[in-house]
Amino acid sequence: MLSIGLSSAVLGIEAYPVEVEVDISSGLPHFSTVGLPDTAIKESKNRVLAAIKNSGYEFSMKRITVNLAPAAVKKEGAAFDLSIALGILAANGQLSQDRLQKYIVLGELSLDGSVRKVKGTLPIALAAREAGVDGLIIPEGNRKEASVVKGLNVFPVRNLKETVDFLNGRDELSSFSIDLEEEFEDRRNYETDFADVKGQEYAKRALEVAASGGHNILLIGPPGSGKTMLAKRLPSILPTITLDEALETTKIHSVIGLISSRSAIVGTRPFRSPHHTISDVALIGGGSFPRPGEVSLAHNGVLFLDEFPEFHRNVLEVLRQPIEDGVVTIVRVSTALTYPAKFMLAAAMNPCPCGFYGDSQRECTCTPFQIQKYRAKISGPLLDRIDMHIEVPPVKYQELTVDTDGESSLTIRTRVQRARDIQKERFKKFKSVYCNAHMEAKYIRKYCILEKEAEKLLKDAIERLGLSARAYDRILKVSRTIADLEAKEEISSHHIAEAIQYRSLDRNLWM
Amino acid sequence: MADKIEHWLTLNMIPGIGATRGQKLLEHFGSPQSILEANLNELQHVAGIGEYTARQIVSSRDKLDIEKEISRIKKQKVSVVTFSDDNYPANLKSIFDPPIVLYVKGKLLPEDRIAIAMVGTRRPTTYGKMVAEKLSKELAEREISIVSGLARGIDTSAHKGALSCGGRTIAVLGCGIDICYPPENRALFDEIGERGVVVSEFPMGTRPEKMNFPMRNRIISGLSLGVVIVEAGFRSGALITAGCALEQGREVFAVPGNIFNLGTKGSHSLIKQGAKLVEECEDIIEEIRCLRDVLPVSPAIKSLRKVKLSSEEERVYNLLSFEPIHIDLISKQSGLVINRTSSVLMNLEMKGKIRQVVGKMFLRVPEAQ
Ligand SMILES: Nc1ncnc2c1ncn2[C@@H]1O[C@H](COP(=O)(O)OP(=O)(O)OP(=O)(O)O)[C@@H](O)[C@H]1O
Ligand SMILES: [Mg+2]
Ligand SMILES: [Zn+2]
């Protein structure tokens, strides 16, 4: 007998329908699957058969053929287990065919028949709504994630038996729903706050400027100076994430199963901090079963690259495209996938290999040559896309023990938001530009109008301080943001002066 | 008839009578009481006391509210040591113009005769502070009392160094002993009052006026066998103290510093003129027994070339020295918000007045001579 059930799989960050066809015929006992890679077949077969048996269903092994259509697209993972098990039972006459075809079913099986969490629930739920089925049957652990989609009946299940009983009409399952707005509201608090950071006024100001204009930033300082601590708090001063942005980010996180069973939605801007040994594929996305990389997981948030010079050169190279375009495009023989990747880059590095160059407490043991080599690792096109470089000194013990709090993230975020609003208005005609950091040369000329004195200062600075011509545009963009923070139309010399300070690496202070 | 404290205090409080005239009158009349009872004619015939001063004495001596002064003294737990008292510091007695009275918090001890003064700039470098603290501690460990002026900077470090090893230290004030100046040294003031001694010749409630400090300086050197100058620019108070020391026949020591630092120009000129260069406390100790050379002080003062600075730039520039300091600290000390500090520093850098070094630290560029 043949049975047909519905399931779904993810390609990129979108889901597509999968038909689960199961045929049982007499013959030598055999189990074959079309549309899954070899290793997955074996594992799936074992789980499905054990789960059926351990759930108390009669089943004698026959010739079973499973087809996951479209078979040409190779699918990953165990999310079809439940569908296959149901298909076998239906083909065997133990389950109503009619009802099976009205639900999209998803779930990995344990040997005892219980249903485990799967990846990609949110895109699948979105696709399920479009497909107009009666409902989505998903593992209980994914119920919140699925119920983000309004107008879709979500039926969480705990085990195979429960699912069978439901589809046979023996037991009713109640559909699960949440109040999305409320859920979103509940998840908007950051665990960390700028108030925790003692001292570091200069670094905090720089991060405020960076957040205000969406400028990528590099933090340079000895070990333990608080670079990681500062960067971690960057998302908390970016403009509050909107529901639409949150849904985009959640979708990407859902694809690789990052959404915990307790949460429905990512309510805060993400902070991703991959280790420097990461491969280019893991950073950017792709692979034989394409999955989003760290840059996409950081979508609408912050990508933090600690130990910046330690990243492989080719890894850093691939960052250029997403920084430029805000998306990652992965080209396959048959298709091209895109993953959104609009993030702010924060990078951190020590001033030298040993870490203590310029530290008044510890002595640097590096030779000038070593320092030069270390610095050279981060030069080039990627550094060109980082508007601000700041130095972060170690904070003295005395300052760490004072208990006056710094400004809270909320206070800073309010100012950042105001500066962003000005930019939104400024760029409302342009589709791809929404903050100062993204201005191209022609917009820079148009929107960065300098007062006379400011112009002179910038010119002098380029000459006297040995700033590169490259630095010129970056200083203009950052000074635009500084002026926006003051709600000033024209850029004055003190805006320029401050912006020049944020070009530490352009200065010859290091050798 | 024994002179009462009141008479001494009154004499000390009469306007126009300082240590010099006070000593002349005491020599002539023998006691404060006789001075206060003398008539105009008797007074104006004392050598060095003109008609004007004599009139001042007569007109003001009865008007002074000495009751109030006494009650303030009691309330503040201050004691008064007069020139005729046995515990009046022996070193101080020998100077040309010793104070008539000393207001004292804590106790003056005979051992305080073995004292070394340490003074210097109110805006020291880290190096300067380190030196002051170290030398002061090492001297105090050898039971030498450390005398200084409780000012910001080197003075503070000198006192702290002595206290840090449980040694003795003497603070000499340029204001009434009921006033703590600078106010941030309150805790230090109290600690010295308990474990060392605080002295002042000024009546209660005297404000820390500028003119008081040279007078205060002569007491600092007067109490000591020698004066160590740690960091002193030209025309600084520390140089005045060194000058006093020389007049009083005290030894002068100076610690060398960074030649690019204008804040050590004064100390270096002293060394050039013969002050003993100090690298370690032994350099001081070996001189204490035999005080010999007296050297003339005539520091040539070079005026600094001026570049036009805005008032904010001036404010920030004045905070900087030749020791790099971090932008956060500059912002804190100048009271300018961090972004303002940042832009002011850039402007100063562009004007060639300051330099930036690694770590977002700033320091002065040496002035062209
Ligand atoms: N300004 C600060 N206020 C409060 N705590 C701080 C501050 N700076 C550092 N710390 C403390 O020191 C710890 C180390 O800081 P952090 O890990 O951010 O330094 P880092 O510069 O990233 O060092 P590394 O180069 O080793 O990664 C922090 O977890 C925090 O507890
Ligand atoms: Mg770190
Ligand atoms: Zn090093």
Side-chain angles (χ1 to χ4, degrees):
Chain A
M1 268 247 307
L2 173 73
S3 79
I4 298 176
L6 299 177
S7 190
S8 187
V10 172
L11 188 62
I13 54 164
E14 306 300 336
Y16 62 102
V18 174
E19 285 197 347
V20 181
E21 303 170 339
V22 179
D23 180 67
I24 302 182
S25 55
S26 48
L28 288 174
H30 182 70
F31 191 114
S32 70
T33 312
V34 187
L36 272 183
D38 295 343
T39 48
I41 295 173
K42 214 172 127 216
E43 290 169 6
S44 182
K45 170 182 133 190
N46 292 339
R47 282 193 307 267
V48 168
L49 295 180
I52 289 175
K53 217 173 276 162
N54 292 330
S55 299
Y57 297 104
E58 295 244 346
F59 184 71
S60 51
M61 190 61 195
K62 293 179 188 150
R63 186 177 182 86
I64 301 170
T65 309
V66 177
N67 180 31
L68 300 177
V73 188
K74 291 277 184 221
K75 293 154 210 81
E76 183 194 20
F80 305 109
D81 286 0
L82 184 57
S83 249
I84 295 171
L86 293 173
I88 291 172
L89 291 174
N92 208 26
Q94 283 163 287
L95 181 66
S96 143
Q97 278 271 8
D98 287 353
R99 284 196 65 170
L100 182 59
Q101 281 177 34
K102 289 184 177 141
Y103 297 90
I104 290 179
V105 178
L106 224 60
E108 175 181 337
L109 284 173
S110 286
L111 300 183
D112 66 356
S114 57
V115 175
R116 285 193 174 148
K117 254 187 96 194
V118 295
K119 298 172 185 175
T121 303
L122 179 53
I124 288 171
L126 286 165
R129 182 176 59 190
E130 297 313 306
V133 290
D134 281 7
L136 175 66
I137 294 176
I138 40 105
E140 188 171 45
N142 295 109
R143 62 182 184 172
K144 279 196 139 185
E145 194 180 340
S147 56
V148 162
V149 178
K150 286 181 186 160
L152 172 72
N153 291 321
V154 172
F155 298 101
V157 292
R158 280 168 300 193
N159 53 53
L160 176 60
K161 184 154 189 315
E162 192 176 52
T163 320
V164 173
D165 288 348
F166 169 61
L167 290 174
N168 273 336
R170 200 172 302 151
D171 260 340
E172 217 25 69
L173 284 177
S174 52
S175 73
F176 181 81
S177 69
I178 53 160
D179 181 335
L180 180 58
E181 277 72 23
E182 194 180 294
E183 189 77 23
F184 181 47
E185 222 33 70
D186 283 352
R187 310 211 145 259
R188 303 182 81 166
N189 292 328
Y190 288 89
E191 281 166 17
T192 57
D193 197 285
F194 262 92
D196 311 334
V197 182
K198 313 270 187 199
Q200 298 290 20
E201 296 306 323
Y202 174 74
K204 285 191 231 171
R205 164 70 183 178
L207 287 171
E208 177 177 339
V209 172
S212 297
H215 302 287
N216 296 327
I217 188 166
L218 172 62
L219 305 142
I220 307 156
S225 58
K227 304 180 294 292
T228 304
M229 187 183 197
L230 285 161
K232 259 198 188 134
R233 284 158 180 75
L234 191 49
S236 71
I237 60 166
L238 287 171
T240 311
I241 193 167
T242 64
L243 182 55
D244 282 346
E245 286 176 319
L247 285 171
E248 286 173 19
T249 303
T250 306
K251 211 164 145 186
I252 302 166
H253 285 222
S254 170
V255 168
I256 62 164
L258 281 187
I259 309 296
S260 100
S261 56
R262 270 165 285 120
S263 60
I265 188 163
V266 176
T268 51
R269 294 193 178 274
F271 177 83
R272 300 295 301 183
S273 163
H275 191 255
H276 60 75
T277 53
I278 194 172
S279 69
D280 52 351
V281 169
L283 183 65
I284 204 81
S288 49
F289 291 105
R291 34 178 285 156
E294 289 290 336
V295 291
S296 296
L297 296 174
H299 180 58
N300 290 322
V302 174
L303 178 70
F304 178 54
L305 302 183
D306 206 353
E307 317 284 355
F308 194 43
E310 305 299 331
F311 283 79
H312 293 294
R313 244 206 134 86
N314 62 317
V315 172
L316 294 183
E317 285 298 310
V318 296
L319 267 179
R320 280 164 57 189
Q321 190 213 356
I323 289 181
E324 210 82 317
D325 308 336
V327 291
V328 172
T329 308
I330 288 156
V331 183
R332 280 291 128 87
V333 190
S334 50
T335 51
L337 293 176
T338 58
Y339 291 113
K342 223 168 62 184
F343 58 87
M344 208 179 129
L345 176 67
M349 66 185 279
N350 292 336
C352 67
C354 87
F356 296 103
Y357 188 76
D359 191 324
S360 52
Q361 315 293 323
R362 305 268 305 260
E363 203 159 340
C364 167
T365 54
C366 310
T367 64
F369 177 69
Q370 286 173 315
I371 298 177
Q372 216 160 22
K373 234 175 64 184
Y374 181 74
R375 288 263 331 266
K377 287 197 201 172
I378 55 148
S379 61
L382 185 56
L383 191 58
D384 264 1
R385 284 161 180 81
I386 297 178
D387 290 342
M388 301 171 64
H389 335 127
I390 63 158
E391 290 172 80
V392 181
V395 171
K396 291 201 197 74
Y397 175 72
Q398 298 94 291
E399 284 185 47
L400 288 181
T401 51
V402 301
D403 43 27
T404 47
D405 276 357
E407 271 190 311
S408 72
S409 290
L410 177 63
T411 312
I412 304 172
R413 185 165 69 231
T414 311
R415 293 194 294 261
V416 169
Q417 183 70 62
R418 245 181 279 139
R420 283 283 180 115
D421 289 345
I422 292 173
Q423 295 166 54
K424 217 164 131 196
E425 182 62 24
R426 174 180 304 136
F427 303 122
K428 66 177 176 214
K429 286 177 287 190
F430 312 114
K431 214 173 138 262
S432 61
V433 186
Y434 55 93
C435 61
N436 291 334
H438 297 169
M439 278 190 284
E440 288 162 30
K442 59 177 185 239
Y443 300 140
I444 295 177
R445 306 289 164 264
K446 183 163 175 212
Y447 294 113
C448 301
I449 309 296
L450 302 191
E451 283 174 0
K452 258 214 146 51
E453 232 182 285
E455 206 158 312
K456 184 178 173 300
L457 175 68
L458 182 52
K459 208 170 134 258
D460 287 356
I462 299 268
E463 276 169 21
R464 278 192 70 152
L465 305 177
L467 299 180
S468 69
R470 275 200 208 116
Y472 187 84
D473 278 1
R474 315 247 130 47
I475 292 169
L476 283 177
K477 287 199 283 186
V478 173
S479 66
R480 177 65 271 163
T481 301
I482 295 168
D484 287 343
L485 275 165
E486 282 180 16
K488 293 278 162 51
E489 190 61 38
E490 282 220 322
I491 297 171
S492 343
S493 64
H494 68 271
H495 301 139
I496 288 283
E498 187 186 345
I500 298 170
Q501 296 283 24
Y502 302 132
R503 296 296 298 175
S504 282
L505 283 182
D506 288 339
R507 308 288 307 276
N508 295 322
L509 309 171
W510 283 46
M511 244 44 89
Chain B
M1 174 188 167
D3 269 295
K4 290 203 186 132
I5 290 278
E6 287 93 303
H7 299 135
W8 284 100
L9 291 172
T10 309
L11 183 62
N12 191 52
M13 285 166 77
I14 293 173
I17 297 200
T20 320
R21 290 200 180 106
Q23 290 301 337
K24 292 215 161 95
L25 289 165
L26 280 173
E27 259 167 50
H28 189 273
F29 292 102
S31 78
Q33 191 174 6
S34 329
I35 299 168
L36 296 177
E37 285 165 6
N39 63 32
L40 181 63
N41 197 36
E42 289 166 333
L43 287 168
Q44 70 187 9
H45 281 97
V46 178
I49 309 290
E51 196 197 336
Y52 179 73
T53 310
R55 280 187 190 284
Q56 259 190 327
I57 295 170
V58 173
S59 70
S60 62
R61 65 188 171 193
D62 297 318
K63 289 199 206 111
L64 293 166
D65 190 354
I66 203 68
E67 306 293 321
K68 188 175 163 205
E69 183 77 357
I70 298 274
S71 85
R72 281 165 104 174
I73 287 170
K74 286 204 177 118
K75 205 165 140 216
Q76 299 276 334
K77 298 200 174 65
V78 168
S79 57
V80 175
V81 175
T82 74
F83 186 69
S84 68
D85 285 341
D86 288 339
N87 58 342
Y88 190 92
N91 290 344
L92 198 54
K93 212 160 202 164
S94 73
I95 71 172
F96 161 73
D97 48 1
I100 304 166
V101 299
L102 288 174
Y103 292 74
V104 177
K105 256 198 164 168
K107 213 159 179 240
L108 284 164
L109 301 177
E111 299 90 282
D112 288 331
R113 211 184 81 75
I114 310 300
I116 285 288
M118 187 173 297
V119 292
T121 180
R122 278 169 291 159
R123 289 195 296 104
T125 62
T126 317
Y127 161 78
K129 285 193 282 193
M130 274 162 49
V131 169
E133 232 170 285
K134 174 173 179 288
L135 286 178
S136 155
K137 174 167 174 280
E138 288 167 358
L139 291 170
E141 276 168 354
R142 289 162 175 78
E143 303 195 323
I144 295 168
S145 301
I146 301 297
V147 186
S148 194
L150 200 75
R152 298 193 171 109
I154 297 298
D155 289 18
T156 297
S157 301
H159 289 303
K160 283 188 176 161
L163 291 172
S164 74
C165 64
R168 257 185 88 74
T169 186
I170 305 173
V172 186
L173 308 185
C175 55
I177 202 160
D178 51 342
I179 292 173
C180 176
Y181 182 81
E184 70 267 27
N185 273 352
R186 180 82 251 173
L188 184 61
F189 181 107
D190 292 340
E191 199 182 351
I192 298 174
E194 266 174 52
R195 293 173 44 195
V197 55
V198 181
V199 300
S200 168
E201 69 174 318
F202 298 101
M204 302 297 274
T206 306
R207 310 290 319 161
E209 304 287 355
K210 223 173 162 171
M211 60 179 195
N212 297 348
F213 289 96
M215 297 200 265
R216 186 270 314 254
N217 292 347
R218 86 180 197 289
I219 303 179
I220 292 178
S221 55
L223 283 169
S224 322
L225 300 173
V227 176
V228 185
I229 310 294
V230 176
E231 273 182 333
F234 274 134
R235 248 197 296 212
S236 61
L239 284 193
I240 295 178
T241 311
C244 296
L246 296 175
E247 278 172 25
Q248 295 162 354
R250 312 298 198 233
E251 182 70 299
V252 176
F253 304 89
V255 177
N258 183 334
I259 59 164
F260 295 120
N261 182 351
L262 289 184
T264 59
K265 285 280 176 199
S267 343
H268 287 186
S269 84
L270 289 173
I271 294 171
K272 287 183 197 163
Q273 292 168 83
K276 180 158 185 187
L277 186 153
V278 175
E279 288 177 299
E280 52 191 24
C281 80
E282 279 317 311
D283 296 328
I284 299 163
I285 289 162
E286 72 182 10
E287 294 298 319
I288 287 182
R289 277 161 272 121
C290 41
L291 305 168
R292 301 154 296 181
D293 306 338
V294 173
L295 50 143
V297 180
S298 59
I301 294 154
K302 279 179 187 147
S303 58
L304 304 177
R305 283 205 317 184
K306 293 254 187 281
V307 178
K308 237 176 114 54
L309 299 182
S310 75
S311 67
E312 281 181 347
E313 287 165 4
E314 186 92 42
R315 187 147 123 213
V316 168
Y317 181 73
N318 285 336
L319 282 172
L320 297 184
S321 68
F322 294 89
E323 290 290 318
I325 68 169
H326 188 255
I327 186 167
D328 282 2
L329 199 58
I330 300 171
S331 163
K332 202 155 145 196
Q333 292 185 350
S334 67
L336 293 176
V337 293
I338 190 72
N339 45 328
R340 199 76 203 176
T341 307
S342 190
S343 61
V344 165
L345 285 168
M346 179 49 63
N347 289 331
L348 280 169
E349 199 174 353
M350 294 300 297
K351 286 180 178 172
K353 295 289 284 182
I354 65 166
R355 208 157 69 79
Q356 183 176 164
V357 294
V358 73
K360 217 66 193 173
M361 313 264 273
F362 295 83
L363 72 167
R364 286 188 179 187
V365 168
E367 298 282 343
Q369 294 294 317

